[in-house]
Amino acid sequence: MVGPAPADLVARREAASDSVVEVRGLVRDFDVSASWLHRTLSGEPRRVVKAVGGVSFDIRRGETLALVGESGSGKSTIAKMVVGLLPPTAGSIRIDGTDIWDPANAPKLRDLRRRFQMIFQDPFASLNPRWRVRDIIAEPLDVFGITRGRATRDRVGELLTTVKLTPEDGEKYPHQFSGGQRQRICIARALASEPEFLVCDEPTSALDVSVQAQILNLMRDLQDRLGLTYLFISHNLAVVRHMADRIGVLYLGGLAEVAPAKAMFRDPRHPYTRSLIDAIPDIDMTGRERTPITGEIPNPLDPPPGCTFHPRCPFARERCRREVPRAFAEASGALVACHGVEEGWVGQAPAGQKAV
Amino acid sequence: MDVREKLVQRLSRRIYAGWDSDLAHSFRSSPVTIIAALVALTIILAAIFAPWIAPQNPFDPRQLNLMDGFTPPGQENPFTGNTFLLGSDGQGRDVFSAILYGARVSLFVGFFAVLFSLVLGVTLGLIAGYVGGRADAVIMRIADVQLTFPVILVALLIFGVARGFLPPQHREAMAVYVLIVAIGLSDWVQYARTVRGATMVQKSREYVAAARLIGRSPFAIMSRHVLPNVTEPILVIATISLALAIIAEATLSFLGVGVPPTQPSLGTLIRFGQGFLFSGEWWILLFPSLTLLALALSVNLLGDWLREALNPRLR
């Protein structure tokens, strides 16, 4: 067997154990081929979409990691795999050190499920319309055997108060609430099992702008009070800037860049991140020339070779068309997957870029 | 006292909410529906309370007098001096009483056949829609094959096979139950199809994902989360297929393969009656037929109304 571990390895392991979530080499393919009969008759091959292609990241205790990307970039697919709703094709997801998709861990999963929860995108679909709100919030309490009878009732009232509704609201049905109130109910349900890690899949994208801020502030407030860790999925950079400690930028199922939020908004590294940040409307930048991203996100059925961003990248060179870039750590702490940044020929904007 | 007051208050609020609901409103504004409901309710209640309403038990030979035979409706029998509201048949059986008892058998078979096919179809539909994949393919292919045969043919087949398996001394006693299973088995497909479609819609909604997230079993999700959200179309189908089941039972009994003659349903009465049609005793055929018509029509109209009232697109 292995002898006693060297001191520095132990220290490193302890540092690593402060990650609530460790995702390694996550891959998810979707088979979109026609039916077997149709394929046989027409001689079509199987068609597979690589929705997520080898994504790795850690989420540290108490932080908010945001994943941003266009639609079709694999954000929601990652969220579903992280909470165990969708099995990954390859790779591993560890929550508190336990691989949730390892069949050997199935017995542990019941207890582990208490520790992570999810807030969904559509507050009109995520609450069962036939259930009273108090039953919706009490379901996790019953399933995990946390409370019984009267105690459940009290706890549901408490949770409703936590999300700034009243215990009396528990008697109503979901259709009697507005979108923002429903999202509060979803948050109350998610908090019922006292989780430490919450996956938020575009929690405000279905809400009015005026309500979005209330929900986001509530989530931040809860994070401070309960020490929650968030994986925050969004396509809205303004929302992400408000919420995230670190940001991962997804492009066609791969991470282009992962960097601390402040650093990313101050000094985006990857060409894709640059164009995204450039595209944020900003009063101070009036009159500034922007670099628009040209073209569309490529068809994931037939992704471009090499770097998947090269057809739209203003800096693309020969190497980008041949070789898939690997993520490397910059001095600033950012992880960037770009040949140009690595070799130093991305960074100076092309001539005439900043001039008005 | 306090508890009772509270209960009364809550109950009256419930009743008011029921009276004021969309469904009640659409019911009140449709005279055809009100009449259909009254007719259906009258026949159903008369059938349930037949032993107390009917002047005689037409299947108790001790209460029958052959001298009463073929008395026309409302006329006095020249030999015994008895009058029969809807006349009497060849054995001196009161047609009115026979109809009440016959409707009892028809409704009993219809109701339980619907219940049987409802439970079977809803269960299979939920499994097909929620589990999907191979289970879905197997269930729906069986359904497709069955749909290519007429309902009566399927019921006849099942009825024949089941009788073959039963020992002869139990055949008569079991006939009603065999009939229920035969009609029920021939009619589960439409429940399964409807529920499958509705389940697939509900399955993709996020509240199902939320239930999966906390580790609820597929059974719990199907029965507690999905089922309450797919009941409206089930109710409509059940009402309409109650009328169809009653007609199917009558058809089978008319063909002579249904309930035994010792326990005649409306269909059996019609079969008996048609033998006298051309010899002038028209009442033996006409009144059971009219009852069957009224029952099937009114239940069908109720089902149609329910379908329109519950359809969100027509609201």
Side-chain angles (χ1 to χ4, degrees):
Chain A
M1 286 296 288
V2 188
D8 65 332
L9 198 67
V10 173
R12 227 187 296 159
R13 206 179 280 160
E14 266 168 10
S17 76
D18 213 37
S19 296
V20 179
V21 181
E22 293 165 42
V23 173
R24 292 289 172 272
L26 198 60
V27 174
R28 174 68 208 195
D29 296 335
F30 286 108
D31 189 343
V32 292
S33 353
S35 71
W36 170 83
L37 189 66
H38 187 90
R39 274 203 322 273
T40 316
L41 292 177
S42 64
E44 267 179 38
R46 274 189 170 278
R47 289 149 68 87
V48 172
V49 173
K50 199 163 222 104
V52 177
V55 166
S56 303
F57 57 84
D58 286 355
I59 308 176
R60 289 176 218 123
R61 201 167 296 282
E63 78 164 352
T64 301
L65 174 71
L67 289 180
V68 294
E70 296 168 68
S71 37
S73 60
K75 314 182 288 278
S76 293
T77 310
I78 292 176
K80 281 186 192 146
M81 288 192 283
V82 168
V83 293
L85 288 175
L86 186 73
T89 310
S92 71
I93 295 154
R94 290 171 181 278
I95 295 180
D96 284 339
T98 310
D99 187 338
I100 61 165
W101 284 107
D102 184 352
N105 287 331
K108 283 197 227 163
L109 211 55
R110 206 189 98 90
D111 287 330
L112 196 64
R113 280 183 198 283
R114 271 191 68 169
R115 294 198 247 161
F116 58 89
Q117 267 298 325
M118 183 159 178
I119 298 168
F120 296 91
Q121 180 172 1
D122 182 358
F124 291 88
S126 56
L127 300 172
N128 190 333
R130 295 291 165 126
W131 283 32
R132 280 181 203 278
V133 167
R134 66 167 141 84
D135 296 326
I136 292 173
I137 298 175
E139 194 183 19
L141 297 171
D142 288 340
V143 169
F144 293 117
I146 300 168
T147 52
R148 288 261 171 268
R150 236 211 138 74
T152 301
R153 207 171 202 161
D154 295 344
R155 179 80 182 119
V156 168
E158 225 173 270
L159 285 162
L160 282 168
T161 318
T162 308
V163 295
K164 304 199 169 64
L165 294 168
T166 62
E168 289 73 43
D169 286 330
E171 294 303 313
K172 299 185 194 159
Y173 285 93
H175 70 260
Q176 292 168 289
F177 294 93
S178 70
Q181 288 172 319
R182 282 166 180 239
Q183 206 55 300
R184 288 172 194 274
I185 296 167
C186 292
I187 294 172
R189 169 178 62 188
L191 293 177
S193 61
E194 292 160 25
E196 53 197 76
F197 170 51
L198 280 183
V199 174
C200 318
D201 185 5
E202 309 214 26
T204 59
S205 65
L207 304 177
D208 285 349
V209 179
S210 57
V211 183
Q212 285 191 5
Q214 291 175 18
I215 297 293
L216 293 174
N217 286 334
L218 172 68
M219 289 176 62
R220 283 189 68 152
D221 182 43
L222 291 170
Q223 182 170 39
D224 291 344
R225 260 203 288 162
L226 306 171
L228 298 170
T229 307
Y230 287 145
L231 172 60
F232 195 92
I233 312 280
S234 183
H235 61 257
N236 185 336
L237 280 172
V239 166
V240 163
R241 187 177 207 169
H242 183 69
M243 292 296 289
D245 298 310
R246 285 192 305 139
I247 301 173
V249 178
L250 279 168
Y251 187 76
L252 213 66
L255 274 172
E257 178 171 355
V258 184
K262 287 204 182 93
M264 185 177 284
F265 278 95
R266 194 178 350 101
D267 181 21
R269 305 300 297 154
H270 194 281
Y272 180 56
T273 321
R274 285 163 192 256
S275 38
L276 283 183
I277 300 223
D278 249 13
I280 300 176
D282 190 332
I283 298 168
D284 298 338
M285 288 197 284
T286 326
R288 198 191 118 186
E289 191 89 16
R290 299 180 190 278
T291 357
I293 320 180
T294 49
E296 292 280 317
I297 194 161
N299 182 356
L301 268 172
D302 183 23
C307 172
T308 48
F309 187 57
H310 84 254
R312 300 168 79 184
C313 181
F315 308 102
R317 292 187 183 179
E318 189 47 39
R319 190 182 171 193
C320 306
R321 293 181 189 96
R322 279 185 289 107
E323 200 181 317
V324 179
R326 293 175 60 91
F328 72 99
E330 285 235 296
S332 65
L335 279 170
V336 185
C338 176
H339 297 309
V341 175
E342 193 171 13
E343 291 174 6
W345 38 267
V346 167
Q348 299 83 36
Q353 192 70 47
K354 287 248 158 93
V356 179
Chain B
M1 231 32 213
D2 193 37
V3 176
R4 247 179 82 183
E5 261 170 40
K6 229 177 179 174
L7 205 73
V8 168
Q9 208 176 28
R10 194 176 279 184
L11 206 68
S12 56
R13 213 180 302 148
R14 232 337 117 81
I15 290 170
Y16 177 74
W19 173 251
D20 200 42
S21 67
D22 288 352
L23 206 62
H25 186 79
S26 107
F27 180 77
R28 274 177 287 151
S29 59
S30 162
V32 174
T33 310
I34 296 175
I35 294 169
L38 284 177
V39 171
L41 207 65
T42 310
I43 298 176
I44 290 169
L45 286 178
I48 291 172
F49 296 106
W52 294 275
I53 299 172
Q56 61 165 221
N57 180 350
F59 308 113
D60 180 3
R62 282 167 303 174
Q63 296 189 22
L64 301 181
N65 183 351
L66 269 180
M67 299 300 281
D68 281 333
F70 299 124
T71 316
Q75 292 179 24
E76 200 170 289
N77 185 292
F79 310 107
T80 59
N82 291 332
T83 45
F84 298 94
L85 183 65
L86 300 178
S88 69
D89 70 0
Q91 269 106 47
R93 211 181 266 144
D94 176 29
V95 172
F96 177 62
S97 304
I99 287 174
L100 290 187
Y101 277 84
R104 209 171 145 88
V105 175
S106 290
L107 279 166
F108 180 83
V109 171
F111 180 79
F112 283 99
V114 166
L115 194 69
F116 183 87
S117 59
L118 187 148
V119 171
L120 186 71
V122 169
T123 309
L124 289 175
L126 274 174
I127 293 171
Y130 187 78
V131 178
R134 202 154 289 175
D136 181 30
V138 169
I139 291 170
M140 291 332 282
R141 286 309 80 76
I142 294 174
D144 287 345
V145 170
Q146 190 173 324
L147 267 189
T148 60
F149 297 101
V151 171
I152 281 294
L153 198 63
V154 176
L156 264 175
L157 183 77
I158 297 167
F159 190 78
V161 171
R163 277 181 74 94
F165 279 107
L166 284 174
Q169 65 270 29
H170 292 305
R171 261 184 212 159
E172 237 170 53
M174 297 297 288
V176 169
Y177 303 100
V178 172
L179 202 58
I180 287 171
V181 173
I183 296 173
L185 273 180
S186 67
D187 200 33
W188 63 274
V189 174
Q190 48 173 335
Y191 295 96
R193 288 193 149 191
T194 313
V195 169
R196 171 179 175 265
T199 301
M200 285 166 84
V201 172
Q202 298 298 327
K203 185 191 170 186
S204 64
R205 310 202 78 187
E206 287 164 343
Y207 71 83
V208 171
R212 283 175 57 205
L213 200 59
I214 55 172
R216 295 225 91 172
S217 66
F219 176 76
I221 294 175
M222 280 189 265
S223 59
R224 294 180 39 84
H225 284 277
V226 178
L227 186 59
N229 285 295
V230 299
T231 45
E232 278 193 7
I234 299 176
L235 192 66
V236 173
I237 299 175
T239 316
I240 292 177
S241 66
L242 175 62
L244 293 177
I246 291 168
I247 292 173
E249 184 279 325
T251 311
L252 288 174
S253 296
F254 183 80
L255 293 174
V257 293
V259 291
T262 50
Q263 218 182 339
S265 68
L266 290 176
T268 324
L269 293 178
I270 293 169
R271 176 159 62 96
F272 291 158
Q274 60 133 11
F276 303 107
L277 186 59
F278 296 108
S279 54
E281 289 84 15
W282 48 271
W283 59 89
I284 306 176
L285 173 68
L286 184 69
F287 294 116
S289 308
L290 282 180
T291 313
L292 180 66
L293 180 73
L295 181 60
L297 187 64
S298 60
V299 172
N300 218 333
L301 284 171
L302 279 178
D304 273 348
W305 160 73
L306 209 56
R307 182 172 54 195
E308 274 175 32
L310 293 179
N311 187 343
R313 264 173 301 172
L314 294 177
R315 261 184 211 160

